[in-house]
């Protein structure tokens, strides 16, 4: 494949740098400290086409490929991981699920509002007792006449409070069977559907994470997506693309930490010379650069396969696993290069350090990625 950026990718990167300098960088630490989710910012990004990157033009989206999508997420994350995470979750999870598995009526109703960020999207799979063990969920949807009644909770949901619409996976069959889950689209304001606790997090603090609560929440069968029992299979396919999102998020954070470290190492003087002259620092920078290159190659390999419609479960898991772990290592080394200054909020790398860890946990832990990879390679 061609690893050169397309003209579209270059234009998108330049647009995001200008946008971030004006609308993200000045306020991002205030949002981080207060855990404010800046909804107005996402409306502005919706106007630029950044909230419906993969949505076809006919549904109000940008109609771009996964190459451009990786550019969008990584360029935003170079500045602020929180904003990059919310852009990724909105695009690949809620919006992506409806795009891939919604019927035509559902697509026409929801995608234009999501693609423009008129509506913010949430996606509910995880529960308090079923993180990696998602197949054992307890949130249920019970058939009742011509509709369904949902009961239970979802945890760690991005945009759990501010989301206008959520795609929710609920158990409709016996536990531990492959066809026990169904996907539903639920709008905010539906009786019995409410937000719960907002999580107080280490990093990604401006990306809202909260609980969803369903208390005898009645919805019509028209809100069901796909066949009854098909939800878990749908979710796994959505997560294949979601892993590329988190890998791109990791790449952006890693690049931000590396670029800040490179610049600082040339400016910081010790023993009458820049610290970049010392092998201990130079070798850290070399390791960072190599890991970023490898991450990028793995990500674009998975994105290329996704664009071609090929099965890429193993490749997306590899990209997510490597890029997220590399992101943590790079941001850790960035703090070390900055020394005491790296431990303060007056310099940028402490935020990259805090934000990085989520990448090894969200949308499948590193351990789950290794499970996915090992199962695939052992099939042969």
């Amino acid at each position: 494949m061609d690893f050169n950026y397309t003209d579209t990718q270059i234009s998108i990167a330049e647009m995001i740098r200008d946008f971030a300098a004006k609308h993200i960088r000045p306020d991002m630490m205030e949002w981080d400290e207060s855990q404010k989710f800046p909804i107005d910012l996402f409306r502005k990004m919706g106007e630029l086409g950044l909230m419906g990157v993969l949505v076809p033009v006919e549904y109000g989206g940008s109609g771009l490929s996964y190459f451009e999508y990786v550019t969008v997420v990584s360029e935003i994350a170079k500045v602020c991981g929180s904003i990059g995470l919310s852009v990724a979750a909105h695009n690949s999870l809620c919006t992506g699920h409806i795009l891939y598995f919604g019927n035509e009526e559902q697509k026409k109703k929801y995608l234009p509002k999501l693609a423009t960020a008129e509506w913010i999207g949430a996606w509910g799979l995880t529960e308090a007792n079923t993180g990696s063990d998602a197949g054992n969920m307890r949130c249920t949807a019970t058939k009742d006449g011509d509709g369904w009644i949902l009961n239970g909770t979802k945890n760690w949901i991005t945009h759990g409070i501010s989301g206008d619409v959520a795609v929710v996976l609920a158990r409709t069959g016996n536990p531990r069977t492959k066809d026990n889950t169904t996907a539903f689209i639920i709008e905010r304001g539906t009786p019995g559907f409410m937000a719960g606790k907002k999580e107080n997090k280490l990093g990604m603090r401006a990306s809202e994470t909260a609980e969803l609560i369903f208390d005898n929440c009645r919805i019509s069968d028209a809100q069901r997506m796909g066949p009854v029992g098909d939800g878990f299979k749908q979710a796994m396919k959505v997560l294949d693309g979601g892993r590329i999102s988190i890998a791109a998020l990791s790449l952006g954070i890693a690049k931000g930490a590396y670029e800040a470290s490179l610049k600082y190492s040339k400016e910081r003087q010790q023993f009458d010379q820049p610290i970049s002259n010392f092998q201990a620092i130079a070798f850290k920078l070399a390791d960072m650069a190599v890991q970023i290159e490898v991450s990028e190659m793995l990500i674009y390999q998975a994105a290329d396969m996704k664009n071609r419609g090929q099965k890429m479960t193993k490749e997306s898991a590899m990209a997510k696993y490597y890029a997220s772990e590399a992101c943590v290592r790079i941001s850790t080394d960035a703090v070390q290069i900055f020394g005491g200054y790296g431990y303060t909020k007056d310099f940028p790398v402490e935020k990259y350090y805090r934000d990085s860890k989520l990448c090894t946990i969200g949308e499948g832990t590193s351990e789950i990625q290794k499970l996915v990879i090992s199962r695939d390679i052992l099939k042969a």
Side-chain angles (χ1 to χ4, degrees):
M1 61 170 287
D2 185 357
F3 286 98
N4 292 316
Y5 275 23
T6 64
D7 290 342
T8 303
Q9 285 177 281
I10 293 169
S11 297
I12 289 171
E14 291 174 350
M15 175 187 71
I16 290 173
R17 287 179 200 130
D18 292 342
F19 179 86
K22 183 177 181 181
H23 297 289
I24 300 177
R25 198 177 294 279
D27 299 308
M28 66 182 189
M29 292 308 295
E30 179 186 338
W31 299 333
D32 183 80
E33 289 288 330
S34 63
Q35 292 202 95
K36 178 183 178 181
F37 177 61
I39 293 180
D40 289 345
L41 174 74
F42 291 90
R43 309 278 192 233
K44 290 186 177 76
M45 288 193 288
E47 293 172 4
L48 296 176
L50 302 179
M51 300 297 280
V53 180
L54 302 166
V55 175
V57 174
E58 64 193 272
Y59 299 116
S62 298
L64 299 173
S65 78
Y66 258 79
F67 292 155
E68 288 81 18
Y69 180 50
V70 169
T71 301
V72 167
V73 175
S74 61
E75 286 294 330
I76 294 171
K78 277 173 66 174
V79 179
C80 180
S82 293
I83 305 305
L85 173 61
S86 278
V87 168
H90 176 94
N91 273 279
S92 72
L93 297 181
C94 179
T95 306
H97 200 138
I98 296 171
L99 174 63
Y100 297 131
F101 298 105
N103 58 38
E104 191 62 23
E105 183 179 347
Q106 290 165 341
K107 290 179 183 179
K108 287 180 177 178
K109 180 176 181 180
Y110 293 108
L111 290 180
K113 292 182 178 181
L114 289 165
T116 58
E118 178 184 346
W119 280 13
I120 301 295
W123 193 72
L125 175 65
T126 304
E127 298 179 7
N129 295 308
T130 57
S132 298
D133 185 16
N136 197 31
M137 66 179 62
R138 298 178 184 177
C139 182
T140 61
T142 306
K143 195 79 170 72
D144 183 63
D146 59 353
W148 297 83
I149 297 176
L150 273 71
N151 281 289
T153 60
K154 294 290 178 179
N155 294 72
W156 306 104
I157 308 305
T158 305
H159 312 146
I161 296 171
S162 299
D164 299 283
V165 63
V167 172
V168 176
L169 286 299
R171 183 160 57 82
T172 51
N174 295 323
R176 296 299 183 191
T177 59
K178 292 183 178 179
D179 58 351
N180 74 338
T181 305
T182 304
F184 300 91
I185 308 172
I186 308 178
E187 296 178 23
R188 186 72 65 187
T190 302
F193 174 35
M194 62 207 84
K197 175 190 174 186
K198 181 177 180 178
E199 302 296 341
N200 186 9
K201 300 175 297 182
L202 168 71
M204 303 291 194
R205 290 170 59 83
S207 179
E208 179 185 275
T209 306
E211 182 182 40
L212 299 180
I213 300 171
F214 303 94
D215 182 10
N216 290 317
C217 175
R218 183 178 176 84
I219 57 173
S220 72
D221 191 56
Q223 300 304 108
R224 172 173 52 85
M225 254 198 301
V228 174
D230 207 38
F232 193 74
K233 288 186 288 185
Q234 294 176 12
M236 294 305 101
K237 291 177 182 177
V238 168
L239 286 172
D240 278 348
R243 290 180 185 125
I244 296 176
S245 292
I246 302 301
L249 179 70
S250 304
L251 177 66
I253 294 171
K255 283 185 173 181
Y258 165 71
E259 291 174 8
S261 299
L262 184 64
K263 182 175 183 291
Y264 181 81
S265 72
K266 293 177 180 178
E267 297 171 348
R268 172 68 168 170
Q269 294 274 331
Q270 290 288 276
F271 304 102
D272 302 319
Q273 57 185 310
I275 61 172
S276 58
N277 286 355
F278 298 110
Q279 191 178 79
I281 303 301
F283 278 14
K284 284 186 187 297
L285 293 168
D287 284 338
M288 290 178 173
V290 171
Q291 291 175 84
I292 286 170
E293 289 286 333
V294 174
S295 297
E296 202 153 24
M297 289 181 181
L298 286 169
I299 291 166
Y300 277 102
Q301 173 185 245
D304 182 54
M305 294 177 72
K306 181 71 172 174
N307 286 338
R308 295 171 188 269
Q310 298 174 347
K311 186 177 184 295
M312 32 61 81
T313 300
K314 179 189 72 176
E315 288 76 12
S316 65
M318 285 181 166
K320 198 271 188 187
Y321 169 55
Y322 185 86
S324 63
E325 293 288 344
C327 174
V328 172
R329 290 192 296 268
I330 289 167
S331 61
T332 301
D333 279 347
V335 172
Q336 198 70 18
I337 289 172
F338 273 75
Y341 292 116
Y343 205 65
T344 71
K345 293 183 182 293
D346 294 327
F347 287 77
V349 292
E350 68 85 30
K351 185 175 184 299
Y352 292 124
Y353 179 71
R354 288 185 291 108
D355 289 346
S356 68
K357 188 57 191 170
L358 184 277
C359 298
T360 69
I361 298 171
E363 295 193 40
T365 63
S366 291
E367 290 73 21
I368 288 295
Q369 305 313 313
K370 287 192 279 188
L371 183 64
V372 170
I373 296 163
S374 62
R375 281 179 175 174
D376 190 277
I377 63 179
L378 289 170
K379 285 179 183 176

